[in-house]
């Protein structure tokens, strides 16, 4: 430790720290622009000049290493004079457009100019002009003349997002920040550049000129779009969500959020269902009062129960419903006598439920990820599924964390990979077996009997070598592994590998409240049907909460067919188009911004929140609708008056219910014999849920472009197709679609990548299986 004095106060900091770090520890504010605690030191704004005794001139606090006995003055006449001189230079070319600047009221330059700027400028020459840049639909760079060249945005791209999308051209007064020629910013974390920009050079394009910052009320919330549970601040004007920004929480999302968390708010006000709707006998929709609609729902469910039995009623929920909604939905179903309730709409393995011994979770706290030294990620589109977990791994890789992957598409995770095995989805279990055999050979122990005859390749040996050397390792199962028809086998093989190398087995659940769904018992417990079984053999009645079955289930085409064949369907949804082609009663419930509720993240962290705006039109919070429905059905135990009471009754002691122990035997998958190419699907990052799919700015990004058929060059050559060719992609048990071919080296041999959760590809049925590809 090094001891120094700042403004008369002594402080100790680790050797190698800068004066800025010591000042922050003391709570002494040093004005700055380019310094940011999460970014490398650039020392190019010079605003943090301080006086250091025995130094001939003022020194930048952010780039001056501390030494024993150093004496620093941050507010001496010499320091203040230096800071004022820097401010004068910064303002020479700055446009005087604060009244129209979106950053006005929360601008770092504006704030510091009050204390360090002059009342007039000595410079009367013409100000420089910097032309606006087109950075895509999310980040606005319309007024780059405001830029003070702090380079925070450049360093963020390189160090946090993992890709250099912005850089600086030219020198001196001709310097300007720009993107590569003709390129937009495509990072899934790009919106954070808006937050860290200390001036109004980079602003939110969807929010541009919508409101002034002092008009906005700020309310805490939790993002529902992935299972990290990022903390956010929802900014509201007149009961309309105007903007979403991060709320710092070092244990979860640090000070970042993904673009999906930031810009999806646009989908909250689109296509909303305003009043309860009832389908008439001639197929038309009519408005109804809440009282009449709930009475019709109770009558319809009771009639199905009396005529066909309670087992013919099923409930499906989206994995981003609140814990309270999950709990009450499950209680309504069980009160009716049915155990058919599930939120895992994309799960396809019928034996996975029996293999799970508890609620599958990450296996550790998110804040402990940097302590890992080895990670093997199995079956995950990591940047699309968990963008901020990818960022955590990216930071860990800079400090020695070795990241390996067994995946179905070799997407660029923007971090150094130790080893990677890319196989079609049916090959994941075998790849895990190969790594387990390689580990046994490396340690000169007997190969597990379940994996006899497996011959590991070079990449499997590299992964085994990495895991063998680790002292704190983790193996994580991602969306493809969890949703695979071989999910139980994959999990069992992963458990065997984890036990062999002493790693922690964890799951990366899909959906903002997947763990909450397990804890709230919104899964079959007494022999009921899971989502796949409910849709494979149509029931007489379905209750659907928040989900769009065509896009949110494993096989959207089959889901729609089953729903349309049912006698009575109830949709609890914020969106009219989500249910109007299959429901008989539509009840308008609120999204997460209009209700109180609770999400439980992948690490078991319980996060409750309040509504940030009033419910839209006649929409009501889903938990209130389900509680009243329980009363109308005259079921017992629906007396709670608050969401907190529902939460407390549902959760209990969480730690006792979290378990990643797999009760299934490791082994090898049966050899497949289907013709065609194996489908690699995956849900695009901006098609993950109903809210995101309705956000115009997100849908204008390159990541949301129309689906294509991605093939590697070898597979395309065997098929006789080339880049840009139009092909017909067909599923044997379903329909076909016409798509353009894109050559993609990340796709494994014998596979074609066609995304799911898009209307254009619903006709292809399930996300797993084989497809035939032929030129049109």
């Amino acid at each position: 430790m090094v001891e120094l004095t700042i403004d008369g106060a002594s402080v100790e900091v680790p050797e190698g720290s800068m004066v800025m770090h010591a000042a922050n520890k003391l709570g002494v504010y040093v004005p700055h622009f380019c310094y940011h605690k999460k970014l490398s030191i650039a020392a190019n704004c010079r605003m943090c000049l301080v006086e250091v005794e025995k130094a001939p001139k003022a020194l930048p606090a952010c780039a001056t290493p501390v030494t024993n006995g150093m004496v620093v003055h941050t507010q001496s006449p010499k320091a203040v004079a230096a800071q004022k001189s820097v401010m004068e230079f910064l303002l020479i070319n700055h446009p005087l457009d604060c009244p129209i600047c979106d950053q006005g009221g929360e601008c770092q330059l504006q704030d510091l100019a009050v204390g360090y700027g002059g009342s007039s400028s000595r410079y009367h020459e013409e100000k420089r002009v910097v032309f606006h840049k087109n950075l895509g639909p999310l980040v606005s760079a319309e007024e780059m003349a405001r830029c003070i060249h702090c380079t925070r945005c450049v360093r963020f791209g390189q160090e946090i997002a993992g890709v250099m999308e912005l850089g600086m051209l030219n020198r001196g007064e001709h310097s300007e920040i720009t993107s590569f020629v003709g390129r937009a910013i495509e990072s899934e974390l790009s919106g954070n550049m808006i937050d860290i920009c200390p001036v109004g050079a980079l602003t939110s394009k969807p929010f541009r000129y919508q409101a002034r910052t002092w008009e906005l009320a700020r309310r805490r919330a939790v993002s529902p779009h992935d299972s990290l549970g990022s903390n956010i601040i929802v900014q509201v004007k007149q009961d309309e969500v105007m903007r979403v920004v991060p709320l710092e929480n070092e244990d979860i999302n640090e000070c970042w959020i993904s673009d999906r968390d930031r810009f999806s708010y646009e989908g909250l006000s689109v296509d909303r269902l305003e009043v309860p709707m009832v389908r008439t006998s001639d197929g038309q929709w009519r408005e109804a009062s809440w009282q009449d609609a709930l009475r019709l729902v109770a009558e319809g469910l009771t009639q199905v129960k009396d005529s066909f039995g309670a087992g013919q009623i099923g409930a499906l929920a989206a994995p981003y419903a609140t814990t309270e909604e999950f709990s009450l939905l499950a209680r309504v179903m069980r009160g009716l006598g049915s155990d058919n309730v599930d939120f895992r709409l994309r799960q396809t393995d019928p034996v996975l439920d029996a293999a799970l011994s508890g609620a599958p979770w990450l296996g550790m706290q998110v804040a402990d990820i940097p302590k890992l030294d080895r990670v093997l990620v199995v079956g995950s589109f990591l940047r699309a599924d968990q963008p901020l977990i990818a960022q955590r791994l990216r930071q860990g890789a800079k400090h020695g964390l070795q990241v390996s992957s067994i995946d179905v598409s070799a997407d660029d995770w923007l971090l150094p990979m130790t080893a990677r095995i890319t196989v079609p989805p049916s090959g994941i279990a075998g790849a895990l077996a190969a790594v387990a055999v390689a580990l046994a050979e490396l340690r000169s122990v007997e190969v597990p009997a379940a994996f006899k005859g497996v011959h590991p390749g070079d990449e499997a040996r590299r992964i085994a070598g990495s895991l063998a050397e680790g002292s704190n390792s983790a193996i994580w199962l991602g969306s493809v592994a969890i949703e695979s028809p071989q999910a139980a086998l994959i999990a069992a093989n992963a458990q065997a590998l984890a036990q062999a190398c002493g790693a922690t087995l964890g799951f990366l659940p899909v959906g903002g409240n997947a763990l909450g769904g397990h804890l709230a018992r919104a899964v079959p417990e007494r022999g009921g049907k899971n989502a796949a079984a409910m849709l494979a053999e149509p029931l007489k009645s379905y209750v659907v909460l928040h989900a769009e079955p065509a896009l949110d289930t494993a096989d959207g085409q089959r889901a729609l067919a089953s729903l349309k064949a049912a006698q009575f369907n109830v949709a609890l949804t914020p969106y009219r188009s989500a249910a109007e082609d299959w429901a008989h009663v539509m009840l308008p419930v609120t999204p997460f911004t209009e209700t109180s509720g609770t999400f439980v993240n992948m690490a078991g962290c319980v996060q409750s929140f309040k509504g940030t705006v009033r419910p839209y039109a006649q929409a009501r919070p889903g938990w209130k609708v389900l509680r009243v429905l329980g009363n109308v059905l005259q079921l017992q135990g629906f007396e709670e008056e608050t969401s907190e009471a529902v939460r407390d009754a549902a959760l209990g002691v969480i730690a006792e219910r979290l378990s990643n122990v797999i009760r299934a035997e490791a082994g090898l998958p049966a050899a497949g014999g289907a013709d065609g190419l194996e489908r690699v699907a995956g849900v695009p990052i901006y098609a993950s849920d109903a809210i995101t799919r309705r956000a115009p700015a997100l849908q204008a990004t390159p990541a949301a472009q129309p689906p294509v058929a991605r093939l590697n060059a070898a597979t395309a050559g065997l098929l006789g197709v080339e880049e840009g060719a139009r092909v017909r992609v067909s599923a044997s048990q379903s329909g076909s679609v016409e798509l353009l071919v894109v050559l993609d080296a990340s796709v494994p041999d014998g596979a074609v990548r066609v995304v799911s959760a898009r209307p254009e590809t619903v006709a292809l049925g399930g996300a797993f299986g084989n497809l035939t590809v032929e030129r049109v």
Side-chain angles (χ1 to χ4, degrees):
M1 300 293 284
V2 175
E3 185 175 351
L4 68 155
T5 302
I6 299 179
D7 291 347
S10 295
V11 62
E12 282 191 352
V13 291
E15 188 173 351
S17 299
M18 301 297 161
V19 172
M20 182 72 82
H21 301 142
N24 288 343
K25 186 174 181 179
L26 274 176
V28 174
Y29 178 72
V30 179
H32 60 274
F33 293 113
C34 67
Y35 172 78
H36 190 281
K37 64 182 179 181
K38 294 290 185 181
L39 303 177
S40 63
I41 292 169
N44 54 7
C45 79
R46 317 308 281 185
M47 190 65 211
C48 64
L49 291 175
V50 294
E51 180 184 359
V52 179
E53 288 189 3
K54 300 181 182 179
K57 61 180 182 178
L59 299 175
C62 70
T64 302
V66 296
T67 59
N68 259 320
M70 177 183 278
V71 179
V72 179
H73 304 283
T74 68
Q75 299 176 14
S76 67
K78 182 176 181 180
V80 172
Q83 292 159 359
K84 286 187 174 182
S85 296
V86 170
M87 178 60 71
E88 185 176 19
F89 279 119
L90 289 175
L91 294 178
I92 289 173
N93 280 305
H94 200 79
L96 301 177
D97 61 351
C98 293
I100 65 150
C101 179
D102 269 345
Q103 196 84 348
E106 53 186 15
C107 173
Q108 211 170 330
L109 181 65
Q110 200 175 49
D111 293 341
L112 293 178
V114 173
Y116 298 92
S119 58
S120 61
S121 175
R122 292 184 285 172
Y123 296 89
H124 301 291
E125 291 77 14
E126 291 182 355
K127 292 180 182 288
R128 73 178 192 142
V129 174
V130 181
F131 286 105
H132 63 82
K133 312 292 191 297
N134 182 12
L135 301 183
L138 304 180
V139 180
S140 172
E142 293 295 315
E143 288 90 10
M144 289 304 289
R146 299 170 183 161
C147 178
I148 61 171
H149 303 151
C150 69
T151 68
R152 280 184 177 184
C153 56
V154 177
R155 285 175 286 145
F156 171 83
Q158 290 177 292
E159 299 165 16
I160 306 299
V163 55
M164 185 175 178
E165 294 183 295
L166 295 179
M168 187 179 289
L169 291 179
N170 306 321
R171 302 190 66 175
E173 72 167 3
H174 302 293
S175 299
E176 56 182 284
I177 299 291
T178 186
S179 62
F180 289 96
V181 181
R183 294 293 298 273
I185 294 176
E186 298 181 10
S187 165
E188 65 276 8
L189 305 177
S190 66
N192 293 290
M193 293 180 181
I194 298 166
D195 295 330
I196 63 175
C197 180
V199 295
L202 299 179
T203 55
S204 168
K205 190 168 282 189
F207 178 68
R208 183 173 166 81
Y209 297 152
Q210 295 299 304
R212 304 311 310 236
T213 180
W214 52 84
E215 298 176 308
L216 303 176
R218 291 160 173 78
R219 289 148 191 176
R220 297 184 176 195
V222 179
S223 173
H225 303 299
D226 62 51
S227 55
L228 180 64
S230 296
N231 290 200
I232 56 176
I233 296 175
V234 178
Q235 300 187 345
V236 176
K237 179 183 178 183
Q238 296 176 348
D239 278 325
E240 182 180 355
V241 177
M242 304 299 293
R243 186 166 62 166
V244 171
V245 296
L247 174 63
E248 185 170 350
N249 186 332
E250 281 296 315
D251 292 335
I252 296 178
N253 57 298
E254 301 176 87
C255 57
W256 316 119
I257 54 175
S258 69
D259 289 353
R260 178 168 55 188
D261 299 333
R262 182 184 303 272
F263 297 107
S264 62
Y265 72 87
E266 287 190 296
L268 295 170
S269 57
V270 176
D271 183 36
R272 290 295 296 271
L273 180 62
E274 297 185 359
V275 297
M277 303 290 289
V278 175
R279 190 189 294 273
T280 61
S281 58
D282 60 355
Q284 301 301 308
W285 286 104
R286 67 170 178 85
E287 296 182 2
S289 67
W290 270 104
Q291 183 177 5
D292 288 344
L294 288 171
R295 178 178 53 79
L296 287 171
V297 170
E299 289 175 356
L301 294 176
T302 302
Q303 183 178 351
V304 170
K305 176 184 175 181
D306 292 343
S307 301
F308 305 101
Q312 282 297 305
I313 304 174
L316 304 169
Y320 55 90
T322 66
T323 304
E324 293 81 355
E325 290 169 340
F326 281 140
S327 177
L328 288 165
L329 179 66
R331 284 160 57 185
V332 166
M333 285 296 107
R334 294 188 174 109
L336 287 169
S338 173
D339 192 44
N340 302 332
V341 57
D342 203 358
F343 67 91
R344 302 158 304 171
L345 305 184
R346 298 187 190 279
Q347 183 175 308
T348 58
D349 188 351
V351 301
L352 179 59
D353 286 357
L356 296 174
S357 59
W361 66 301
L362 184 62
M364 64 181 69
Q365 295 304 305
V366 174
D368 292 336
I369 291 176
K371 300 175 184 176
L372 295 171
D373 57 11
R374 303 289 188 274
V375 171
L376 171 61
V377 184
V378 181
S380 176
F381 298 104
L382 192 63
R383 284 175 58 196
D385 295 345
Q386 309 287 352
L388 289 177
I389 295 296
Q391 190 276 136
R392 289 264 188 182
L393 294 182
R394 197 170 295 129
Q395 303 315 308
K398 297 176 183 178
H399 300 97
L401 171 62
Q402 293 185 9
V403 181
S404 301
S405 171
I406 296 174
D407 51 46
V408 295
S409 180
D411 297 343
D412 187 358
W413 290 358
L414 304 175
L415 56 83
M417 302 290 291
T418 298
R420 167 171 249 161
I421 299 175
T422 302
V423 292
S426 64
I428 294 176
L432 281 164
V435 175
V437 170
L439 183 67
E441 294 176 351
L442 185 66
R443 292 183 167 175
S444 301
V445 299
E446 186 177 355
V447 172
F451 302 147
K452 292 289 187 183
V454 174
H455 302 288
D458 292 341
E459 290 298 299
R461 296 183 193 280
R462 289 193 189 95
I463 295 175
S466 174
L467 292 173
E469 296 169 0
S471 59
N472 187 9
S473 306
I475 298 175
W476 293 340
L477 300 180
S479 60
V480 181
I482 297 169
E483 295 163 3
S484 167
Q486 300 174 2
L489 179 62
I490 291 171
N493 286 3
Q495 178 175 260
L497 177 60
Q499 291 170 345
C501 65
T504 298
L505 179 64
F507 287 75
L508 297 173
V510 178
N513 196 29
L515 194 52
H518 280 281
L519 298 173
R521 300 176 55 217
V523 291
E525 292 185 339
R526 300 192 296 266
K529 295 182 176 181
N530 62 17
M534 282 187 248
L535 295 170
E537 298 179 7
L539 304 178
K540 296 298 182 182
S541 180
Y542 294 91
V543 179
V544 181
L545 173 63
H546 285 303
E548 290 186 274
L551 304 177
D552 287 331
T553 58
D555 186 340
Q557 191 177 52
R558 177 178 291 175
L560 277 180
S562 296
L563 286 161
K564 290 179 178 179
Q567 180 174 305
F568 183 71
N569 295 326
V570 183
L572 292 85
T573 176
Y575 301 110
R576 179 169 183 140
S577 66
E580 60 185 352
D581 57 341
W582 53 263
H584 297 92
V585 178
M586 293 191 294
L587 303 178
V589 297
T590 57
F592 75 105
T593 50
E594 300 168 25
T595 180
S596 58
T598 301
F599 292 146
V600 184
N601 80 352
M602 63 172 72
C605 177
V606 178
Q607 301 187 100
S608 295
F609 53 89
K610 299 289 187 181
T612 58
V613 294
R614 289 192 186 93
Y616 177 82
Q618 292 188 32
R620 296 291 180 266
W623 71 269
K624 288 187 177 181
V625 174
L626 289 163
R627 190 208 64 194
V628 174
L629 178 59
N631 296 147
V632 175
L633 286 165
Q634 299 181 345
L635 305 178
Q636 298 298 312
F638 287 82
E639 290 81 30
E640 294 95 340
E641 294 294 328
T642 65
S643 61
E644 289 81 4
V646 180
R647 174 199 65 198
D648 294 343
L651 291 181
V653 182
I654 289 177
E656 297 176 357
R657 302 169 65 190
L658 302 179
S659 175
N660 290 334
V661 175
I662 304 301
R663 299 178 299 202
E665 295 296 325
L668 298 174
D675 295 329
L677 303 176
E678 198 165 336
R679 182 180 184 181
V680 174
V683 177
I685 185 170
Y686 302 136
S688 59
D689 55 72
I691 300 172
T692 302
R693 287 191 284 263
R694 288 169 171 79
L698 292 178
Q699 298 310 313
T701 61
Q705 295 308 300
V708 295
R710 295 184 176 274
L711 302 160
N712 68 26
T715 305
L718 291 174
L719 294 173
V721 298
E722 64 284 335
E723 179 104 26
R726 192 158 193 85
V727 294
R728 180 176 291 105
V729 182
S730 308
S732 60
Q733 301 296 320
S734 191
S736 64
V737 297
E738 291 188 9
L739 302 171
L740 293 178
V741 170
V742 171
L743 296 185
D744 188 341
S746 69
V747 179
D749 290 339
V752 55
R753 184 171 181 179
V754 181
V755 297
S756 57
R758 292 293 299 262
E760 302 94 326
T761 61
V762 168
L764 294 178
F768 297 89
N770 284 52
L771 302 174
T772 58
V773 178
E774 55 188 358
R775 182 187 291 272
V776 174

